[in-house]
Structures are given as structure tokens and as C-alpha cells.
Amino acid sequence: MKEKLYLGIETSCDDTSCAVYSPDRGVIAHRTAAQLDHEKYGGVVPEIASRSHMRSLLPLYSSVMEDAGIEPISLSGIAVTNGPGLTGSLLVGLSFAKALAYGFGIPLTGVHHLEGHILANALTGEFVTPSVVLVVSGGHSQLIKVDRPGLYEFLGGTRDDAAGEAFDKIAKMLGLPYPGGPSLEKTGKNGNRNAYDFPRALKNSGKCDLSFSGLKTSVRLKFESIEDISDKIIADIAASAQEAIVDILAIKSKMAVEESGVKRFYIAGGVAANQRLRDVMLERLGAGGIKVSWPEMRYCTDNAAMIACAGYYHFSAGKVDGLELNTFPRGGLGSWVSE
Ligand code: KG4
Ligand code: ZN
């Protein structure tokens, strides 16, 4: 029987990524082109991002197909992120996917970016359900109960900034290089995480909701109140700010797990790369007998392998989209199977 192979395409923000996934052999080929042009602006510039996707996508796709040693006709399906994200960027990926699907007569499916992050956990390990997944990235901070792939329940999320956004903005404030998450983590390694007691917003709300905008202000006020800023002070602020983010994420994750009565917990999204977050989750949830896992590093941040993997679940369940498929800039992850 012909091997099932799925192409994934991801262009929702500033990474252009293509991958080929086989349910039997895992990720066959995977390449991501990170855009460095945004660095000097300290954040992603949408117009630059979409133009860069246009330049990178075709050569990247060709290289991935060459790495996989296959022709388009061998593909059983094409999965593409169609939202949420930057409209211009999403449109580049979606138009390319549609052209391939139409030209070669291959089925197409649109994937919600968050579903991709969640199912990244199935790429290199066993993804056990029911479970709770904390999706923490530059654009999202959500706790989602997964009954099985396709059946999702939103438990809570941020009211304002995403966790990754908080990392990025605080790092920028401290003069650390972009992207802020890894910089803040690195700088904080030399600091004392108990030096400053930054707020844990909504700690006692009794719900799984989150908020990071107050933390950002609190860090700014502290930073501006200190006259002689030394490397030691910057390291202490970085470590303390990271601790505040990690602590509140752990508190709310524990609540979500207890409320849903699951035994498995996963972290997903770019912030899952943070070692302190992993350590604290292992310690606190592990103490209650909850098994905690996260995807391999290269599948934590934006990548097309997770989209191809989500595509496999879609196609297996017959979830195929037509050429009228459109992008969407915002919107939560809905279920696509019924109970
Ligand atoms: O999932 P992702 O690649 O893109 C989005 O969908 O947003 O996540 C990027 C986010 C950025 O905010 C980045 O600063 C954060 O993940 N990030 C980290 C770390 N590595 C990446 N945050 C904290 N610690 C890290 N080590
Ligand atoms: Zn992402």
C-alpha cells in the first residue's frame, strides 16, 4: 500500500516553514526559514513578513520535497495554517497550498495554528488524551482540555498580553536583544529570582484566566525607579519577571488539571522552550502525580511539522477543505469532531 505522506505549510507570523510527515515514520523532512529582518525593529513588521514569505516559500518547499525524495503526486494531503495570524503572511501560505492542491489534485485542509502547537506533542512522543495543554507563545496563552485530537475545550486564557509577549516586551524594556524570551531567560540565569516581588495577576480569581499587562507595567516602574542600573540589577529583574510569569502559569495550570481530572499535562508553543517553566511544571504538577511533557525544542516554536501532523488527524477523520478556504486573523480553537 502507498505510504501516507502529508505536506505541512506554516506562514502565520515570521517563520516560513515546510515539512513532510508520515504517520508511520514521523517527520521525513522539515525546514524553517526564520526572518531576521525584524530584529532592528524590535518586533515583527507585517508587511516585511509577508514579502519575505513570498521570497522564501517556493525554494523552501522545493528543498523539503528534495530532502524527502518525493514528487508532489506522492502526497496524500496538504495541511496549511489558515489562522490565527497576520493576514498577509497567512495568505502567502494558503495561496501556495491551494495552488499545489489544485494543480496536482491533492486534498487540502486548513489548520488552526493552536491545534498545530498542541499536536506538536504527538510528533516525537505519545500524545495521551484526555489531557490539558498549556499553549504559551508570542500570540497566545491558553489552557485547553483535549479529549482527543479534534475535541477541544477552552478552560481559560489571557485577558491581554500573551506570556511570550510579556517576555518579549520586558526584555525590550531591559535593552535585551530580540527575540526577548530566550534573551530574558539567558540574562536571568545570572540573577536572583526572588530579588523583586512582581505581581501574579488574577492569582485568586478562582478561574483559569491570566493577565500579563500589569506585570509589564510593574517591571517598567521598578526599572525606572532605580538610578544606577547595573548588569546585576538587570539580571535580577529578568529572573524575577520570569519567575512571576512561570509562577502564575503553574498556579493556573494546576487549577486546570485539577478541575478536569486528567492525569496528563503538556506544554506547547514557543515559551515551552523555557527551562524554568519546564522545571516548575515538573515539580508542582509532578508532585500531584501528573505526568508533564513538552515537544522537542525545534517543535516548540513555529514549525510546519506540527501542521502536517495536525493535517494527518484531519484527513484521517475526513476533514477536507475546498478552494474557498479563507484565512482568519483571530479566533479560538473550536472542535471539529463531535462527542
Ligand atoms: O510559538 P512561537 O514560535 O510563535 C507564536 O506563535 O507566537 O512563539 C514565539 C514566542 C516569543 O514570544 C518568544 O519570545 C517565546 O516564544 N520564547 C520564549 C523562549 N523561547 C521562545 N519565551 C521564554 N523563554 C524561552 N526560552
Ligand atoms: Zn506559534
Side-chain angles (χ1 to χ4, degrees):
M1 212 175 77
K2 189 182 140 203
E3 184 184 18
K4 299 262 188 224
L5 293 169
Y6 301 98
L7 175 72
I9 298 173
E10 159 65 44
T11 62
S12 66
C13 190
D14 60 340
D15 293 306
T16 317
S17 186
C18 280
V20 175
Y21 173 77
S22 146
D24 298 325
R25 291 191 287 147
V27 182
I28 307 290
H30 174 217
R31 285 185 188 232
T32 301
Q35 303 177 2
L36 304 175
D37 326 356
H38 305 282
E39 221 159 290
K40 58 177 176 286
Y41 303 101
V44 178
V45 183
E47 185 62 22
I48 294 179
S50 46
R51 283 170 193 270
S52 178
H53 286 307
M54 280 172 67
R55 277 193 305 274
S56 312
L57 188 51
L58 180 58
L60 194 81
Y61 157 79
S62 304
S63 305
V64 163
M65 295 298 277
E66 207 178 303
D67 293 347
I70 57 167
E71 296 296 323
I73 207 74
S74 315
L75 293 169
S76 302
I78 299 171
V80 59
T81 308
N82 67 319
L86 302 170
T87 301
S89 294
L90 289 164
L91 276 171
V92 177
L94 179 61
S95 310
F96 186 79
K98 280 184 186 177
L100 278 179
Y102 180 69
F104 294 101
I106 305 164
L108 174 77
T109 192
V111 174
H112 191 291
H113 185 74
L114 286 192
E115 182 173 41
H117 276 304
I118 290 172
L119 295 174
N121 282 292
L123 283 173
T124 44
E126 199 192 352
F127 182 57
V128 180
T129 53
S131 49
V132 167
V133 184
L134 170 70
V135 187
V136 267
S137 69
H140 309 275
S141 292
Q142 295 193 5
L143 281 154
I144 295 168
K145 183 177 179 217
V146 183
D147 284 298
R148 62 190 161 100
L151 194 53
Y152 306 108
E153 186 191 343
F154 174 80
L155 301 175
T158 185
R159 293 184 182 182
D160 38 60
D161 292 348
E165 201 176 351
F167 269 99
D168 293 338
K169 286 180 177 170
I170 292 170
K172 192 173 173 184
M173 207 187 298
L174 300 180
L176 304 176
Y178 169 89
S183 302
L184 199 83
E185 177 170 24
K186 192 162 162 244
T187 305
K189 282 211 166 84
N190 307 316
N192 171 6
R193 54 178 175 258
N194 300 313
Y196 303 100
D197 187 19
F198 291 126
R200 276 70 163 156
L202 305 172
K203 187 174 172 179
N204 300 313
S205 72
K207 291 190 280 188
C208 297
D209 48 355
L210 294 154
S211 165
F212 293 106
S213 64
L215 170 67
K216 198 178 57 192
T217 310
S218 173
V219 173
R220 184 173 53 77
L221 292 175
K222 175 54 70 185
F223 186 61
E224 287 171 358
S225 73
I226 303 171
E227 271 183 24
D228 288 323
I229 296 283
S230 61
D231 286 352
K232 172 76 177 105
I233 289 174
I234 291 192
D236 284 349
I237 295 180
S240 304
Q242 172 176 271
E243 195 61 12
I245 298 172
V246 166
D247 186 31
I248 196 68
L249 287 175
I251 290 169
K252 299 291 176 157
S253 297
K254 191 159 177 277
M255 184 186 286
V257 163
E258 282 167 2
E259 257 176 28
S260 5
V262 301
K263 291 272 165 259
R264 291 293 306 232
F265 177 77
Y266 295 91
I267 320 174
V271 185
N274 187 278
Q275 193 55 49
R276 181 69 188 150
L277 179 68
R278 294 172 172 187
D279 291 345
V280 170
M281 290 297 187
L282 280 176
E283 190 186 307
R284 297 207 206 155
L285 294 183
I290 306 299
K291 189 154 189 263
V292 179
S293 330
W294 49 81
E296 223 176 88
M297 191 78 171
R298 62 196 155 137
Y299 303 134
C300 283
T301 47
D302 287 351
N303 68 87
M306 67 185 194
I307 304 302
C309 180
Y312 152 65
Y313 286 103
H314 284 203
F315 291 118
S316 306
K319 186 189 175 304
V320 177
D321 289 301
L323 292 177
E324 70 288 348
L325 180 67
N326 212 339
T327 59
F328 56 96
R330 277 175 292 279
L333 172 59
S335 296
W336 49 263
V337 291
S338 48
E339 293 176 44

